[in-house]
Short mmCIF file of all heavy atoms in Angstrom, two decimals:
data_model
loop_
_atom_site.label_atom_id
_atom_site.label_comp_id
_atom_site.label_asym_id
_atom_site.label_seq_id
_atom_site.Cartn_x
_atom_site.Cartn_y
_atom_site.Cartn_z
N ILE A 177 -98.21 197.40 -5.55
CA ILE A 177 -99.19 196.49 -6.23
C ILE A 177 -100.52 196.74 -5.47
O ILE A 177 -100.61 196.57 -4.27
CB ILE A 177 -98.86 195.06 -6.26
CG1 ILE A 177 -97.54 194.82 -7.02
CG2 ILE A 177 -99.90 194.31 -6.80
CD1 ILE A 177 -97.09 193.42 -7.10
N GLY A 178 -101.46 197.18 -6.21
CA GLY A 178 -102.75 197.59 -5.53
C GLY A 178 -103.94 196.77 -5.83
O GLY A 178 -104.03 196.10 -6.73
N ALA A 179 -104.99 196.90 -4.93
CA ALA A 179 -106.32 196.30 -5.09
C ALA A 179 -107.20 197.19 -5.76
O ALA A 179 -106.92 198.41 -5.98
CB ALA A 179 -106.81 195.84 -3.70
N TRP A 180 -108.44 196.74 -6.08
CA TRP A 180 -109.37 197.51 -6.98
C TRP A 180 -110.42 198.29 -6.14
O TRP A 180 -111.16 199.14 -6.65
CB TRP A 180 -110.08 196.61 -7.91
CG TRP A 180 -110.60 195.27 -7.22
CD1 TRP A 180 -110.03 194.13 -7.24
CD2 TRP A 180 -111.84 195.12 -6.40
NE1 TRP A 180 -110.73 193.20 -6.57
CE2 TRP A 180 -111.85 193.74 -6.04
CE3 TRP A 180 -112.79 196.00 -5.98
CZ2 TRP A 180 -112.84 193.19 -5.23
CZ3 TRP A 180 -113.79 195.41 -5.18
CH2 TRP A 180 -113.86 194.08 -4.75
N ASN A 181 -110.43 198.20 -4.76
CA ASN A 181 -111.51 198.85 -3.99
C ASN A 181 -111.25 200.39 -3.68
O ASN A 181 -112.20 201.09 -3.65
CB ASN A 181 -111.80 198.08 -2.78
CG ASN A 181 -110.53 197.92 -1.88
OD1 ASN A 181 -109.41 198.13 -2.27
ND2 ASN A 181 -110.87 197.65 -0.60
N ILE A 186 -105.12 203.96 -2.61
CA ILE A 186 -104.09 203.00 -2.25
C ILE A 186 -102.83 203.51 -2.91
O ILE A 186 -101.77 203.37 -2.30
CB ILE A 186 -104.46 201.61 -2.74
CG1 ILE A 186 -105.67 201.08 -1.85
CG2 ILE A 186 -103.35 200.61 -2.55
CD1 ILE A 186 -106.14 199.63 -2.25
N TRP A 189 -101.34 206.16 -0.82
CA TRP A 189 -100.88 205.71 0.43
C TRP A 189 -99.54 205.14 0.21
O TRP A 189 -98.70 205.07 1.16
CB TRP A 189 -101.81 204.53 0.95
CG TRP A 189 -103.08 205.12 1.66
CD1 TRP A 189 -103.54 206.44 1.65
CD2 TRP A 189 -103.92 204.41 2.54
NE1 TRP A 189 -104.64 206.52 2.47
CE2 TRP A 189 -104.94 205.37 3.04
CE3 TRP A 189 -104.00 203.09 2.99
CZ2 TRP A 189 -105.94 204.98 3.89
CZ3 TRP A 189 -105.02 202.64 3.82
CH2 TRP A 189 -106.06 203.58 4.24
N LYS A 204 -98.34 199.01 -9.99
CA LYS A 204 -99.30 198.16 -10.90
C LYS A 204 -100.70 198.11 -10.19
O LYS A 204 -100.81 197.66 -9.03
CB LYS A 204 -98.89 196.72 -10.95
CG LYS A 204 -99.66 196.01 -12.06
CD LYS A 204 -99.51 194.46 -11.94
CE LYS A 204 -100.29 193.85 -10.92
NZ LYS A 204 -101.71 194.01 -11.03
N PRO A 205 -101.70 198.79 -10.70
CA PRO A 205 -102.95 198.67 -10.21
C PRO A 205 -103.57 197.38 -10.42
O PRO A 205 -103.10 196.55 -11.28
CB PRO A 205 -103.72 199.83 -10.84
CG PRO A 205 -103.07 199.94 -12.23
CD PRO A 205 -101.69 199.59 -11.99
N SER A 206 -104.77 197.12 -9.83
CA SER A 206 -105.41 195.92 -10.27
C SER A 206 -106.01 195.97 -11.70
O SER A 206 -106.34 197.16 -12.13
CB SER A 206 -106.72 195.84 -9.32
OG SER A 206 -107.70 194.87 -9.90
N PRO A 207 -105.96 194.96 -12.40
CA PRO A 207 -106.45 195.08 -13.81
C PRO A 207 -108.05 195.44 -13.86
O PRO A 207 -108.46 195.88 -14.90
CB PRO A 207 -106.19 193.64 -14.40
CG PRO A 207 -106.06 192.75 -13.19
CD PRO A 207 -105.51 193.65 -12.05
N PHE A 208 -108.70 195.31 -12.74
CA PHE A 208 -110.09 195.78 -12.79
C PHE A 208 -110.17 197.25 -12.83
O PHE A 208 -111.17 197.82 -13.34
CB PHE A 208 -110.87 195.21 -11.58
CG PHE A 208 -110.81 193.76 -11.43
CD1 PHE A 208 -111.09 193.12 -10.14
CD2 PHE A 208 -110.46 192.81 -12.40
CE1 PHE A 208 -111.14 191.76 -9.97
CE2 PHE A 208 -110.47 191.52 -12.21
CZ PHE A 208 -110.72 190.93 -10.98
N GLY A 235 -101.65 195.17 -15.75
CA GLY A 235 -101.80 193.67 -15.99
C GLY A 235 -102.17 192.93 -14.64
O GLY A 235 -102.46 193.73 -13.58
N GLY A 236 -102.10 191.70 -14.71
CA GLY A 236 -102.59 190.89 -13.47
C GLY A 236 -101.39 190.15 -12.80
O GLY A 236 -100.28 190.76 -12.72
N ALA A 237 -101.66 188.89 -12.53
CA ALA A 237 -100.64 188.14 -11.74
C ALA A 237 -99.25 188.03 -12.43
O ALA A 237 -98.22 188.21 -11.81
CB ALA A 237 -101.22 186.74 -11.54
N GLY A 240 -97.32 191.21 -12.26
CA GLY A 240 -97.04 191.34 -10.88
C GLY A 240 -95.81 190.49 -10.49
O GLY A 240 -94.91 191.02 -9.79
N GLU A 241 -95.75 189.34 -11.04
CA GLU A 241 -94.67 188.41 -10.68
C GLU A 241 -93.30 189.02 -11.35
O GLU A 241 -92.29 188.89 -10.69
CB GLU A 241 -95.02 187.06 -11.12
CG GLU A 241 -95.98 186.40 -10.27
CD GLU A 241 -96.41 185.05 -10.71
OE1 GLU A 241 -95.73 184.46 -11.52
OE2 GLU A 241 -97.51 184.62 -10.06
N CYS A 244 -92.17 191.59 -8.86
CA CYS A 244 -91.65 190.98 -7.65
C CYS A 244 -90.39 190.34 -7.68
O CYS A 244 -89.39 190.35 -6.75
CB CYS A 244 -92.74 190.15 -6.97
SG CYS A 244 -94.25 191.00 -6.61
N PHE A 254 -97.58 195.64 -0.99
CA PHE A 254 -98.75 194.95 -1.71
C PHE A 254 -100.00 195.18 -0.86
O PHE A 254 -100.00 195.14 0.39
CB PHE A 254 -98.41 193.51 -1.77
CG PHE A 254 -99.56 192.65 -2.27
CD1 PHE A 254 -99.93 192.66 -3.49
CD2 PHE A 254 -100.28 191.90 -1.21
CE1 PHE A 254 -101.07 191.92 -3.91
CE2 PHE A 254 -101.42 191.16 -1.68
CZ PHE A 254 -101.83 191.14 -3.02
N THR A 255 -101.04 195.52 -1.61
CA THR A 255 -102.43 195.51 -1.07
C THR A 255 -103.33 194.54 -1.82
O THR A 255 -103.39 194.57 -3.08
CB THR A 255 -103.05 196.81 -1.14
OG1 THR A 255 -102.25 197.82 -0.38
CG2 THR A 255 -104.46 196.85 -0.53
N GLY A 256 -103.82 193.55 -1.03
CA GLY A 256 -104.73 192.52 -1.85
C GLY A 256 -105.02 191.45 -0.86
O GLY A 256 -105.02 191.63 0.34
N SER A 257 -105.26 190.28 -1.48
CA SER A 257 -105.84 189.14 -0.63
C SER A 257 -104.61 188.33 0.00
O SER A 257 -103.49 188.47 -0.28
CB SER A 257 -106.51 188.26 -1.58
OG SER A 257 -105.63 187.66 -2.54
N VAL A 258 -105.05 187.55 1.01
CA VAL A 258 -104.05 186.76 1.70
C VAL A 258 -103.27 185.75 0.85
O VAL A 258 -102.07 185.77 0.82
CB VAL A 258 -104.72 186.05 2.90
CG1 VAL A 258 -103.75 185.09 3.56
CG2 VAL A 258 -105.24 187.06 3.91
N THR A 260 -102.56 185.97 -2.40
CA THR A 260 -101.55 186.62 -3.26
C THR A 260 -100.55 187.16 -2.38
O THR A 260 -99.29 187.12 -2.73
CB THR A 260 -102.21 187.81 -4.05
OG1 THR A 260 -103.41 187.38 -4.58
CG2 THR A 260 -101.41 188.35 -5.09
N LYS A 263 -97.91 184.61 -1.84
CA LYS A 263 -97.09 184.40 -3.03
C LYS A 263 -96.02 185.50 -3.14
O LYS A 263 -94.86 185.35 -3.46
CB LYS A 263 -97.94 184.46 -4.30
CG LYS A 263 -98.70 183.15 -4.48
CD LYS A 263 -99.46 183.15 -5.77
CE LYS A 263 -100.57 182.17 -5.79
NZ LYS A 263 -101.59 182.50 -6.74
N ILE A 264 -96.45 186.75 -2.92
CA ILE A 264 -95.62 187.97 -2.97
C ILE A 264 -94.47 187.81 -2.04
O ILE A 264 -93.18 187.97 -2.32
CB ILE A 264 -96.28 189.27 -2.65
CG1 ILE A 264 -97.53 189.43 -3.56
CG2 ILE A 264 -95.36 190.49 -2.53
CD1 ILE A 264 -97.37 190.30 -4.64
N MET A 267 -91.88 185.22 -3.40
CA MET A 267 -91.07 185.72 -4.36
C MET A 267 -90.05 186.71 -3.81
O MET A 267 -88.85 186.64 -4.15
CB MET A 267 -91.87 186.40 -5.49
CG MET A 267 -92.82 185.57 -6.25
SD MET A 267 -93.64 186.40 -7.62
CE MET A 267 -95.13 186.96 -6.74
N GLU A 278 -100.65 194.49 3.04
CA GLU A 278 -101.91 195.03 3.48
C GLU A 278 -102.94 194.00 2.96
O GLU A 278 -103.36 194.11 1.78
CB GLU A 278 -102.18 196.42 2.92
CG GLU A 278 -101.26 197.43 3.55
CD GLU A 278 -101.46 197.75 5.01
OE1 GLU A 278 -102.45 197.34 5.62
OE2 GLU A 278 -100.72 198.49 5.65
N LEU A 279 -103.34 193.03 3.76
CA LEU A 279 -104.22 192.02 3.33
C LEU A 279 -105.64 192.05 3.81
O LEU A 279 -106.14 193.10 4.23
CB LEU A 279 -103.57 190.64 3.67
CG LEU A 279 -102.12 190.58 3.24
CD1 LEU A 279 -101.52 189.29 3.77
CD2 LEU A 279 -101.84 190.82 1.78
N GLY A 280 -106.38 191.03 3.66
CA GLY A 280 -107.75 190.97 3.94
C GLY A 280 -108.16 190.85 5.40
O GLY A 280 -107.31 190.97 6.35
N GLY A 281 -109.43 190.89 5.64
CA GLY A 281 -109.85 190.85 7.16
C GLY A 281 -111.21 190.22 7.30
O GLY A 281 -112.02 190.03 6.32
N CYS A 312 -111.42 196.27 3.04
CA CYS A 312 -110.54 195.29 3.82
C CYS A 312 -110.85 195.35 5.35
O CYS A 312 -110.88 194.22 5.87
CB CYS A 312 -109.13 195.58 3.52
SG CYS A 312 -108.67 197.42 3.93
N GLU A 415 -113.91 186.16 4.49
CA GLU A 415 -114.16 187.50 4.04
C GLU A 415 -114.97 187.49 2.72
O GLU A 415 -114.62 186.84 1.76
CB GLU A 415 -112.80 188.16 3.64
CG GLU A 415 -112.85 189.58 3.11
CD GLU A 415 -111.47 190.08 2.74
OE1 GLU A 415 -110.80 189.42 1.98
OE2 GLU A 415 -111.07 191.23 3.13
N PHE A 417 -116.37 190.36 1.14
CA PHE A 417 -116.02 191.51 0.28
C PHE A 417 -117.25 191.96 -0.53
O PHE A 417 -117.17 192.07 -1.76
CB PHE A 417 -114.85 191.18 -0.60
CG PHE A 417 -113.73 192.38 -0.54
CD1 PHE A 417 -113.20 192.78 0.70
CD2 PHE A 417 -113.31 192.93 -1.71
CE1 PHE A 417 -112.30 193.73 0.72
CE2 PHE A 417 -112.42 193.99 -1.62
CZ PHE A 417 -111.94 194.35 -0.53
N LEU A 443 -107.00 192.45 10.97
CA LEU A 443 -106.72 193.79 10.38
C LEU A 443 -107.36 194.86 11.29
O LEU A 443 -106.64 195.93 11.51
CB LEU A 443 -107.39 193.87 8.97
CG LEU A 443 -107.26 195.20 8.11
CD1 LEU A 443 -105.58 195.39 8.15
CD2 LEU A 443 -107.71 195.10 6.72
N PHE A 481 -101.85 202.33 9.64
CA PHE A 481 -102.91 201.36 9.28
C PHE A 481 -102.28 200.12 8.83
O PHE A 481 -101.35 200.11 7.96
CB PHE A 481 -103.75 201.95 8.20
CG PHE A 481 -104.88 201.11 7.71
CD1 PHE A 481 -106.14 201.15 8.35
CD2 PHE A 481 -104.70 200.26 6.74
CE1 PHE A 481 -107.08 200.33 7.89
CE2 PHE A 481 -105.68 199.44 6.23
CZ PHE A 481 -106.95 199.50 6.87
N SER A 487 -103.62 189.10 8.37
CA SER A 487 -103.96 190.36 7.67
C SER A 487 -102.70 191.17 7.19
O SER A 487 -102.84 192.19 6.58
CB SER A 487 -104.88 191.27 8.56
OG SER A 487 -106.07 190.68 8.55
N GLU A 492 -99.18 201.29 6.64
CA GLU A 492 -99.29 202.45 5.79
C GLU A 492 -99.79 203.59 6.63
O GLU A 492 -100.32 203.37 7.64
CB GLU A 492 -100.33 202.10 4.49
CG GLU A 492 -99.71 200.96 3.80
CD GLU A 492 -100.31 200.89 2.41
OE1 GLU A 492 -101.46 200.62 2.28
OE2 GLU A 492 -99.53 200.93 1.40
N1 LIG B 601 -105.30 195.70 4.24
C1 LIG B 601 -105.61 196.63 3.18
O1 LIG B 601 -105.21 197.79 3.30
C2 LIG B 601 -106.48 196.17 2.09
C3 LIG B 601 -106.98 197.27 1.24
C4 LIG B 601 -107.79 196.87 0.13
C5 LIG B 601 -108.04 195.53 -0.20
N2 LIG B 601 -107.46 194.58 0.65
C6 LIG B 601 -107.73 193.24 0.31
O2 LIG B 601 -107.53 192.88 -1.03
C7 LIG B 601 -108.47 191.89 -1.47
C8 LIG B 601 -109.27 192.31 -2.65
O3 LIG B 601 -108.39 192.79 -3.69
P1 LIG B 601 -107.99 191.90 -4.86
O4 LIG B 601 -109.19 191.07 -5.27
O5 LIG B 601 -107.52 192.98 -5.89
O6 LIG B 601 -106.81 191.08 -4.36
P2 LIG B 601 -105.85 190.17 -5.20
O7 LIG B 601 -104.86 189.51 -4.21
O8 LIG B 601 -106.52 189.32 -6.16
O9 LIG B 601 -105.05 191.18 -6.21
C9 LIG B 601 -104.34 192.39 -5.65
C10 LIG B 601 -103.24 192.79 -6.61
O10 LIG B 601 -102.32 191.74 -6.73
C11 LIG B 601 -102.06 191.49 -8.17
N3 LIG B 601 -101.70 190.03 -8.23
C12 LIG B 601 -102.44 188.98 -8.30
N4 LIG B 601 -101.70 187.79 -8.29
C13 LIG B 601 -100.34 188.22 -8.22
C14 LIG B 601 -99.14 187.53 -8.27
N5 LIG B 601 -99.03 186.27 -8.25
N6 LIG B 601 -98.02 188.30 -8.21
C15 LIG B 601 -98.05 189.65 -8.08
N7 LIG B 601 -99.24 190.29 -8.12
C16 LIG B 601 -100.40 189.64 -8.18
C17 LIG B 601 -103.45 191.75 -8.74
O11 LIG B 601 -103.33 191.95 -10.21
C18 LIG B 601 -103.78 193.02 -8.07
O12 LIG B 601 -103.16 194.01 -8.50
C19 LIG B 601 -109.29 191.54 -0.27
O13 LIG B 601 -108.88 190.48 0.45
C20 LIG B 601 -109.15 192.77 0.59
O14 LIG B 601 -109.49 192.58 1.98
C21 LIG B 601 -106.69 194.89 1.61
#
Side-chain angles (χ1 to χ4, degrees):
I177 298 182
W180 43 262
N181 57 344
I186 291 175
W189 279 15
K204 190 195 81 59
S206 164
F208 302 162
E241 287 176 15
C244 295
F254 171 75
T255 298
S257 64
V258 174
T260 311
K263 284 185 202 158
I264 302 262
M267 288 185 275
E278 292 289 353
L279 309 178
C312 53
E415 185 184 45
F417 228 55
L443 187 54
F481 179 89
S487 291
E492 297 199 302

